[in-house]
Amino acid sequence: MASAELQGKYQKLAQEYSKLRAQNQVLKKGVVDEQANSAALKEQLKMKDQSLRKLQQEMDSLTFRNLQLAKRVELLQDELALSEPRGKKNKKSGESSSQLSQEQKSVFDEDLQKKIEENERLHIQFFEADEQHKHVEAELRSRLATLEMEAAQHQAVVDGLTRKYMETIEKLQNDKAKLEVKSQTLEKEAKECRLRTEECQLQLKNLHEDLSGRLEESLSIITEKVPFNDTKYSQYNALNVPLHNRRHQLKMRDIAGQALAFVQDLVTALLNFHTYTEQRIQIFPIDSAIDTISPLNQKFSQYLHENASYVRPLEEGMLHLFESITEDTVTVLETTVKLKTFSEHLTSYICFLRKILPYQLKSLEEECESSLCTSALRARNLELSQDMKKMTAVFEKLQTYIGLLALPSTEPDGLLRTNYGSVLTNVGAALHGFHDVMKDISKHYNQKATIEHELPTATQKLITTNDCILSSVAALTNGAGKIASFFSNNVDYFIASLSYGPKAASDFISPLSAECMLQYKKKAAAYMKALRKVQQSLEKISKLEQEKEHWMLEAQLAKIKLEKENQRIADKLRSTSSGQGLGLAQENATRVNAAGREEASAKAVPEPTHSTSLLPDVESREDLIKNHYMARIVELTSQLQLADSKSVHFYAECRALSKRLALAEKSKEALTEEMKVAGQSISRLQDELTTTKRSYEDQLSMMSDHLCSMNETLSKQREEIDTLKMSSKGNSKKNKSR
C-alpha cells in the first residue's frame, strides 16, 4: 500500500513538474520577448535623445542668433534716434547721408525679413517636435503601464509557483520522514525475523538430521523387508486398494438415488403413454366395440400391449445400479458393472421402439386417409410422425453413449480414458434433445386433441383417452427436463470423479483388475476390523496387567503390614508372662494371618481391605508414598504427551515462520528497491526544483533590474522633456514679446 501511494504521489509530482516546465518555457519566452522589446525601446530612446539634443542645439543657436539680431536692432534703433536731430541740422549733409542710410535700411529690412522667416520656420519645427515628443511620451507611458502590469502578473505567477514548490518540498520531506520511520520499523522487523530465522534454521537442521536418520532407517528397512515396489508398474498398482473416500461414495450414492427417482418417473410416464396409445387405437378412427379395426392397428395394438416387458427392466436395471453403489465400494466406470445391464435393457427398449415405429407411422397415415380427418388434423398427424422418428433417434443416440460408458467395466480397450469427458457431455446433450422432442410432441398432440374434440363425431371415450395421453406426455416432458437438468448440473462432478482410483495410477487396467481390487478392499476392510479387535484386546490386556500390578503391590503392602503386626504382637507377648495372654495372642495372630491371606486373595475387589493395625502412622505413610508415586507417574505421562504435542506444534510453527521469513525477505527486498527508486526520484525532483527555482529567481532579478533601468531612463526622459518644455515656453514668450 505504501509503495502504491508513493507511486501515485510521484506520478502527481511528475505531472505537476511537467506542467511547471511548460509554464517555465512560456515564461522564458515571455522574458526573452520583453528583453527584445526593452532593447528596441532603449534604441528608440537613444534615437529620440539624439534628436532632442540636435533640436536643443538648434534652439540654442537660434536663441543666440536672435539675441545677436536683437542687439543689432537695438543698436540700429539707437543710431537712428541719434541721427534724426543731426539731420535737421545738416540738411545738406543729410541728403547725402540719407541716401546712404536708406540703402542701409533696405539691407537691414531684408536681413530682418530673412531672420523673421527663419524664426517662423524654427517655431514650426519646434511645434512639430513638441507634438511628436508628446506622442512618443504617451506611447512610452502606455507601454510602461502594460509592462508593469505584465511584470505584476509574472510576479504573481512566480510567487504562486514558489509557494507550490515550497508546499511540494514540505510534503516530500514529510513523506521522506514517514518512509524513514517505516524503513526503521522494517529493519527492526527484519532483525527480529533474522533472529527467528536463525533459531528456525537451527531447529530445522536438527529436524533434518533426525528425519535423515529416520529416512536412512526406513530405507534400510524397505530394502531389507520389501520384496518389490508394486507401484512401479501400472499392472500391479491397479491391484492396490485406493484410499477410501467416504464422502465421495455417499455423494455418488445420493446422485444415483436421485437418478433412480427420475428414471422411475420416466418409466411410469412411458408405460402410461404406450398404454393410452393402445386404448386410442381401439376407439379411433374406428371403435372396436362397434366395428372391426384394421389389421395394421390390430398388430400395432398387440405390440403396444407388450410395452411393460420392455419398459419395466429400465427401472430394475437402474435399481440394481443404485444398489451396487455402497459406502464400502469404489465407484468408477471400471467398477460399475451394473451399468452394462442397464445399457442392455435400454437397447431392448430401443428395439421395441424400432419395431412399433412403422406401425405408428402407418396408423397415423390411416387416420389421415379417414373421411373424418380435416386438413389441420392431417398437418398435425404429419408433425407427430416426424416427432416419433426424432424420439426414436434420440433414444438410439442416448443408448449409444450409455453403451460407451458401460464398456470400461467389460472391455478395457473399448473406450479410452481421455474420451470419458466428451462422452458424458454428449449424454447431457442427448438428454436435452430428448426434452426438446418431448416438448414438440406435447405441443402437437395438444393441438391434435383440440381439433379432434371439435369434431362432431368425437365421443367421450376419445376425449378422455386424449386427456390421459396428454397427461402422460406432459409427465414425460417434465421427467425429461428434470433428468436433463440433473445431469447437466452434475456432469462436472462426474468428469472430476473419474480420477478416483489407486495411488499413482492412471487408471484401472482392466475390469478383472478392478474386481480383484474390490476383493482386496473387502479383505483389507476385514483385516482392519481384525486389527481393531486385536488392538482392543491388547488395550484390555494392558489394563488387566495394570490392575494385576496394582493388586500385587497391594498384596506386598498387606504382607509387610502383616509381618510388622506379627512382630509387634510377638514383642508384646514376650513382655507379658501370663499364659492367658499368650494364648490370646496366638489366637489373635491366627486371625491376623487368616485376614492377610483373605486380603491377598481378593484381587478382583476394587477397594483395598482396611487393616485393624494399631500403627496408623505407618499405614498412612505407605498410602501417601503409593499415592505420590501414582500421581507422579500420571503427571509425567501427561507432561510427555504435552511435550509431544508441543513439539509437533512447534515444528509446524517453525515451518510457517520459515515461509513467513522468506516472504518477509522478498517483501523487504522489494521495499528496499522501492525506497531506492523513491529516494532517487526525490533527489532528482529536489535538484530540478532547486534549478528551476534558481532560474526563476535569476529571471526575476533580471526582469526587476531591467524594469528599474527602464524606470530610470523614463524618469530621465521625463526630466529632459520637462526642461525642453520650459525652455521652449521661455523662447516662445521672448519671441512673442519681440
Side-chain angles (χ1 to χ4, degrees), residues 31 151 155 697-712:
V31 169
Q155 185 65 33
E697 289 177 353
D698 295 337
Q699 291 175 4
L700 287 172
S701 62
M702 290 173 64
M703 289 177 68
S704 61
D705 295 338
H706 179 63
L707 289 173
C708 292
S709 63
M710 288 179 67
N711 290 325
E712 290 177 357

Side-chain angles (χ1 to χ4, degrees), residues 331-349:
T331 303
V332 287
L333 288 178
E334 289 83 359
T335 59
T336 53
V337 182
K338 298 298 180 180
L339 186 60
K340 179 66 176 177
T341 307
F342 179 76
S343 176
E344 292 173 352
H345 294 324
L346 184 59
T347 304
S348 176
Y349 176 68

Side-chain angles (χ1 to χ4, degrees), residues 20 23-24 27 31 150-166 692-693 695-701 703:
L20 292 175
Q23 294 177 0
N24 188 13
L27 289 173
V31 169
E150 289 178 358
Q153 291 177 356
H154 289 318
Q155 185 65 33
V157 171
V158 170
D159 293 337
L161 292 174
T162 305
R163 195 182 308 108
K164 196 170 185 180
Y165 277 126
M166 293 302 293
T692 308
K693 187 177 178 182
S695 64
Y696 275 122
E697 289 177 353
D698 295 337
Q699 291 175 4
L700 287 172
S701 62
M703 289 177 68

